[in-house]
């Protein structure tokens, strides 16, 4: 494959490329679709919650649903996920419960992580979905370490880590890619090139023609995929995960996509992007594109009903979680260390007693 | 003079210095087309062009390292780090290079970079959009560390930092970006590095605080005043080198001191201030130097309000000191 | 029990723990075939193989980040940073990731990495082979910071660090690697984290010191003893969380305290110790807590001997405190 | 040029490839040779000084003389040099005086940098030879910044920065290469691949076949050159510097060479390298190789006399500098800031007065 070739499966007319079709069973395909729809419903609701001051912040993934849902579907039991903040879809697809996701956003006792982090910084040990961090790309070297541990124990698992185009410029990317090449580790680097790092266009992020070709600098293969094509993403990530599990080493995947909304609820993208550009990409909506295919296959009848159902599910989840009590003050001092040392005990006691 | 916000004052300082001296450049993530995530650099790209207002790739080593090289070759770079929490990838460039360049070359090369970074809590930003890292830089020999708490200080100190010959870590209290307003002199305006400001004179107790905690101290002092306790508030403005004379004179007079800061307590700058005061004012002290600080935990999201010192916690420390 | 050097004791701890627990791995630059630039990992590659003794490329982000991921997935990594001065490229991984993993995931994930790094002066190493960075890590909530000063403590503390559930910055006083010898128990041996050691009991003054400064303190104390001043020396061994009880009890008894460390004074750990003592022992204090420290300059090459605190400078601080 | 092609000029029989010969005038060629010989004489003497305890440490460049001397010769007035610790040859070739170099090693008042740093950490503002640092590759981003400043001022200068194979793994390399590509800056990245980073063989440093190909990840050209061939190095670095001066952007050069001695005076290379390997490379000695050519051209008669002369020059320089007084105590507190602040004045006064 040449560097600039972009793999895609879903044709505009709703048919698929038979050679590249990952061949998923019908219920699986419907599940992909439903998760994409759910993901978008979550974004909408979360942005509304932020606008009304009920949560502090949110990072939507609208427009990139094919990426995280397609990639998430390629993850198997035993695999690890080291996601970026924009990739709630990966966890969701892997079974991270909507209730848990909503609880995390709200940061009350419905949050398994006790309100410790901003929205979008989820984790769930039971599915090896690792705690999201805000500094860009710090999760990449962790993926390397987890893969190393799995490899030396002889486990047939793969490690998926996700990040953006901006992430390729970080030192953590350089370290993680190089270590993966040197130790021949089962890490799949899934880069969602949504063309911007906040306001910076990818053409100013790096002078290479593609991000995928950066893989060669580390002795790894690099692949480009249409990131608005959920079946293509599923195919490419699935293949790379399979290679990884088979002991054939890591892969860098560049998924070409676009974030239709703001970088986060704090961002105003009209400052740095034209209406026309956004409109053009809105025409390539990954959910609509997949719906055309599913309709053609007779798997989907009423997209509007699916959307309404998803919205209702999110509404109910928020309603349920919003009632949960706030996290207790004492929890502030827990989990800093495995046990509470004297100085934190003193600080806790003085706060709780209203003295300090 | 117009009443402006602190962020506008920063923007004003940058524009004024760039207009005055063509060697002043700004660089960082989103500082150009984006105008800065807090809009500190708004309008600069249009006015001064892309050679002097530089959107960089996402890499803090590159930003700081490039700024050092620019400074070595005749420019006056003002680098923005999007949040002070994201400065750490460049920590090596800061402590090993920027801070030591003058010393190791015996003055042949200098790295008079100004590193601006929004700092502190108050925006529901959790772990990575809220921290107060001043102690790391104060502990690093060779750096000047500045943190303004008013719009006019922000403008005047930033201009002085840009004109100075030393590397400066310029921390901006993001909680105050839009919540404090004040009169700011138009045109060129300098506030000297190394001089503190008496925010409120008082006779009974000296409170040393900076950045986002200054308004908290003022509220606590007002409450104390209502109880008959007269608190002097000192904002050092330049955290290091500290205006020790101002603090010493005050504490020798009041005999009581409270240090108030957002950063975690242990090895925070409050420890240094306390150590200096007890070394220098020992025989005048009527009570130990007290510290009101963030807790020794990562910065929390949901419990931010309980984490950050507030006027009540501060007032309790004033009570405890007075009653000692 | 055999008399061994401190570096041998480190090597012994690594070998013993690796033999005991197959999940213990070491990684870093030159730790395998090279056996470590100070030979701390000598013989481990041959004995435990390349899967567990990992020579990494030259990248500290990779070393620390990989170690974090290994720890999250069931291993017990002991990462070596060649000199503590070269840890800074990984500073973000340490303060943003390693220190906060447990907190931010509410205990779902932990990063119980042990980061070993030779630290301190005494080898004519100049700026970048001599620094004492403990304050940076003590200020970072979530980290345990350890620094032994004897071979047996080195072995026992390193073993405890490896078995513990918290991330540990394990600083090794390189000046003492081969200059101190001591008896070290063979086989498994643990010294508890968080407990100080009374190096020398005394009644007149409490000296708190650690790492390479312990022998300096002992010399100064011997000289003071000759003058009739009885100095108690406390080596906290675990710098954070500090054994505050031991220090408090001592200072409440002696009424005088000197903190002695190599790192620059300002915002060094000495400031925290001084702040704690004056907070907790105020009414017992006969003199201010004194600090004998490295100067607030980058670490010099030619003038290293004058930079580092020596017994004379330490003794002068004892005199000043006694005469206060 | 393909990635794996290695440019070389000097044939084993002492002739040169006429197409690649940089065509230097005879005196220049002799000057290259003499500087290589001088460099080696410095190494020998410095190692001896270290062994006898008169200096603390030294990093020799024995075996790599063709690299630093060839590269140094391509630097012109106005160009900048950001060298690594092993590249005293670059400065030397550019005119950094032997006396200054020896003074720096000794760290007394003969050292223009006042004994502030270990040996090998030289600088000289007058020739834009920038202060060497110990952390690997930190100078690379500085080179970028200096190049940026030169470029916006419209100066026709190039910036040379040097580093080792290990340096390519650092985050600073990744940042500097990427920024150079994005801003199209006149930086020449000269990587001396001496096959080891202390004990780590380059095959374990990275999984790429060559280091030069890493350039492609940043949209820069990458070139390989025989690093034991001073004319080839001169040619390749000269061309890259010319491209840079002409505004055509940066280049990564991988020079293939070998360090014949230890990493530093603290290192024992027998632990990690075989005698045979070292012997094979000793056979490729860059000085001897160049001497064969110069003899063939009739430019050189008596290599032994050249060597003896160089040794004598170094001996005399050391003798002269060793007599210089030690740096004064007060200098400890200077140059931390542009002016001495109160706390350093206090610390100085207490040290000088014998009080603190
Ligand atoms: C180390 C670091 N520097 C800066 C930031 C601020 N920041 C947050 S997101 C972002 C852009 C990331 O862009 P990209 O990697 O393309 O991901 P995307 O947001 O487009 O998904 C920046 C600069 C950060 N989080 N971390
Ligand atoms: C950031 C950093 N990490 C570790 C070291 C310790 N160290 C000094 S030199 C070296 C190897 C460098 O190898 P290379 O880049 O190939 O250069 P060479 O010494 O072979 O010329 C290492 C690991 C350092 N100086 N800086
Ligand atoms: Mg992006
Ligand atoms: Mg090398």
């Amino acid at each position: 494959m040449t560097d600039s070739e972009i793999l895609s499966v879903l044709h505009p007319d709703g048919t698929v490329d038979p050679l590249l079709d990952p061949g998923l069973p019908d219920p699986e395909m419907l599940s992909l679709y439903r998760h994409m729809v759910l993901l978008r419903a979550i974004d909408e609701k979360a942005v509304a919650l932020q606008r009304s001051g009920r949560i502090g912040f949110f990072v939507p993934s609208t427009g990139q649903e094919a990426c995280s849902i397609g990639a998430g579907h390629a993850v198997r039991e035993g695999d690890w996920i080291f996601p970026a903040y924009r990739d709630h879809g990966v966890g969701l697809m892997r079974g991270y419960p909507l209730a848990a996701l909503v609880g995390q956003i709200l940061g009350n006792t419905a949050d398994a992580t006790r309100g410790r982090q901003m929205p979008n910084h989820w984790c769930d040990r039971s599915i090896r979905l690792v705690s999201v961090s805000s500094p860009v790309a710090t999760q990449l070297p962790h993926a390397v370490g987890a893969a190393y541990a799995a490899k030396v124990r002889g486990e047939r698992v793969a490690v998926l880590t996700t990040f953006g185009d901006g992430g390729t410029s970080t030192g953590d990317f350089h370290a993680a890619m190089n270590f993966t090449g040197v130790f021949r580790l089962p890490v799949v680097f899934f880069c969602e090139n949504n063309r911007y790092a906040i306001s910076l266009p990818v053409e100013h992020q790096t002078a290479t023609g593609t991000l995928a070709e950066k893989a060669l600098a580390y002795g790894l293969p690099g692949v480009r995929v249409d990131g608005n094509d959920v079946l293509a993403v599923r195919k490419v990530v699935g293949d790379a995960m399979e290679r990884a599990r088979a002991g054939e080493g890591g892969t860098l995947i560049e998924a070409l996509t676009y974030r239709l909304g703001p970088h986060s609820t704090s961002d105003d993208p009209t400052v740095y992007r034209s209406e026309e550009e956004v409109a053009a990409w809105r025409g390539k909506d990954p959910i609509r594109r997949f719906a055309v295919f599913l309709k053609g296959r007779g798997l989907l009848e009423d997209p509007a009903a699916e959307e309404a159902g998803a919205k209702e599910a999110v509404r109910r989840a928020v309603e349920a979680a919003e009632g949960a009590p706030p996290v207790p003050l004492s929890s502030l001092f827990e989990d800093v260390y495995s046990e509470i040392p004297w100085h934190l005990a003193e600080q806790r006691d003085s706060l709780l007693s209203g003295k300090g | 003079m117009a009443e402006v916000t602190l962020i506008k004052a920063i923007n004003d300082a940058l524009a004024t210095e760039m207009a005055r001296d063509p060697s002043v450049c700004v660089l960082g993530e989103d500082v150009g087309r984006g105008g800065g995530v807090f809009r500190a650099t708004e309008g600069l790209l249009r006015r001064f062009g892309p050679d002097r207002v530089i959107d960089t790739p996402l890499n803090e080593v590159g930003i700081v390292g490039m700024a050092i090289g620019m400074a070595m070759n005749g420019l006056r770079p003002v680098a923005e780090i999007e949040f002070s929490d994201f400065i750490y990838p460049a920590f090596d460039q800061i402590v090993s290079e920027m801070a030591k360049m003058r010393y190791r070359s015996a003055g042949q090369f200098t790295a008079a970079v100004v590193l601006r970074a929004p700092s502190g809590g108050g925006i529901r930003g959790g772990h990575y959009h809220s921290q107060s890292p001043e102690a790391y830089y104060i502990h690093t020999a060779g750096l000047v560390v500045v943190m303004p708490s008013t719009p006019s200080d922000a403008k005047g100190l930033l201009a002085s930092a840009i004109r100075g010959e030393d590397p400066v870590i310029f921390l901006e209290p993001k909680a105050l970006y839009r919540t404090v307003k004040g009169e700011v002199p138009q045109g060129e305006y300098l506030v000297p590095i190394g001089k503190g400001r008496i925010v409120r004179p008082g006779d009974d107790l000296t409170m040393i605080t900076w950045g986002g905690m200054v308004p908290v101290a003022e509220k606590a002092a007002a409450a104390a005043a209502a109880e008959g306790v007269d608190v002097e508030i000192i904002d050092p403005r330049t955290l290091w080198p500290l205006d020790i004379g101002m603090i010493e004179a005050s504490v020798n007079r009041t005999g009581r001191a409270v240090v108030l800061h957002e950063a975690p307590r242990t090895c925070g700058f409050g420890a240094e201030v306390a150590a200096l005061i007890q070394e220098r004012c020992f025989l005048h002290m009527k009570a130990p130097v007290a510290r009101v600080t963030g807790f020794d935990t990562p910065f929390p999201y949901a419990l931010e309000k309980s984490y950050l010192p507030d006027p009540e916690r501060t007032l309790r420390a004033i009570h405890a000191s007075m009653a000692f």
Side-chain angles (χ1 to χ4, degrees), chain A residues 317-332:
Chain A
V318 170
E319 200 173 74
E322 267 196 323
V327 288
L329 263 191
S330 60
S331 71
L332 191 49

Side-chain angles (χ1 to χ4, degrees), chain B:
Chain B
M1 285 200 290
E3 286 250 319
V4 300
T5 59
L6 200 149
I7 190 77
K8 278 273 178 225
I10 298 280
N11 184 264
D12 180 6
L14 292 171
T16 305
E17 291 305 305
M18 290 184 82
R20 189 187 64 86
D21 177 354
S23 66
V24 178
C25 298
V26 309
L27 70 160
E29 292 154 13
D30 305 294
V31 298
R33 289 214 303 165
V37 288
F38 288 102
R39 323 226 59 70
T41 55
E42 191 156 32
L44 299 182
L45 175 63
R46 213 171 331 114
R47 185 156 166 207
F48 300 104
D51 278 356
R52 294 180 62 197
V53 181
I54 310 161
D55 271 325
T56 68
L58 204 171
N59 187 299
E60 286 74 15
V61 168
I63 295 170
V64 177
M66 175 168 166
I68 292 171
M70 290 164 74
M72 293 170 86
N73 194 5
L75 298 180
R76 290 196 170 267
V78 184
E80 175 176 306
I81 300 293
E82 217 148 72
F83 283 81
S84 66
D85 314 73
F86 301 138
I87 216 169
Y88 302 122
F91 203 71
D92 188 44
Q93 282 289 342
I94 296 171
V95 308
S96 301
E97 302 298 318
M98 200 168 108
K100 296 181 174 55
M101 189 63 77
R102 177 186 291 273
Y103 197 73
R104 77 180 194 220
S105 67
Q108 291 189 51
F109 295 96
T110 56
V113 170
V114 179
L115 257 192
R116 295 180 41 245
S119 182
I123 62 153
R124 302 177 75 182
H127 283 15
Y128 302 109
H129 300 82
S130 309
Q131 296 169 94
S132 294
E134 63 269 17
Y136 292 137
Y137 307 108
I138 296 170
H139 184 51
T140 305
L143 299 177
V144 170
V145 184
V146 174
M147 189 161 194
S149 69
T150 68
S152 63
D153 280 355
K155 176 169 179 179
L157 287 164
L158 182 51
S160 295
I162 292 171
R163 297 190 194 183
E165 299 302 330
D166 294 309
V168 177
I169 306 289
F170 195 89
L171 300 171
E172 300 169 3
K174 70 175 87 73
L176 306 187
Y177 268 158
R178 293 185 169 79
T179 56
V180 305
K181 282 198 168 190
E183 304 218 320
V184 173
Q186 281 177 327
E188 293 189 30
Y189 175 62
L190 299 173
V191 170
I193 301 285
K195 296 275 168 253
R197 177 173 70 94
I198 294 180
V199 178
R200 180 194 194 286
D203 285 327
D204 296 332
L205 180 148
T206 305
M207 176 161 298
I208 301 103
T209 193
W210 53 90
M213 287 293 108
V214 172
V216 172
E218 290 182 289
K219 286 203 190 99
E227 300 169 357
V229 176
D230 192 17
V231 174
E232 174 148 309
I233 303 176
I234 293 179
D235 172 3
R237 306 192 289 191
T238 299
L239 303 188
W240 203 259
L242 183 66
D243 188 345
I244 189 69
M246 182 180 278
I247 293 171
E248 225 176 307
S250 177
V251 177
N252 280 342
R253 194 158 41 75
T254 63
R256 303 180 195 273
V258 174
V259 198
L260 168 64
H261 65 63
E262 293 184 42
R265 170 167 318 184
T266 297
C267 261
F269 187 42
E272 180 60 39
V273 174
L276 284 170
I277 290 174
Q278 64 91 34
E279 276 163 19
R280 293 169 173 259
C281 311
F282 188 76
L283 295 176
H284 298 89
M285 298 306 292
K286 300 173 192 147
V289 185
R291 292 185 282 173
V292 182
T293 68
F295 298 114
D296 284 318
T297 73
F299 198 101
Y301 174 70
L303 294 174
E304 169 167 16
K305 286 232 169 74
S306 307
Y307 179 88
L308 285 175
D310 58 13
E312 291 68 45
R313 249 213 276 162
T314 310
L315 189 61
R316 284 198 289 274
I318 295 171
H319 291 161
S321 179
M322 295 307 296
F324 189 85

Side-chain angles (χ1 to χ4, degrees), chain A residues 164-166 192-198 259:
Chain A
D165 41 304
E192 295 176 41
N193 177 359
N194 62 7
R195 311 205 63 79
Y196 287 88
I198 308 186
R259 99 171 122 67

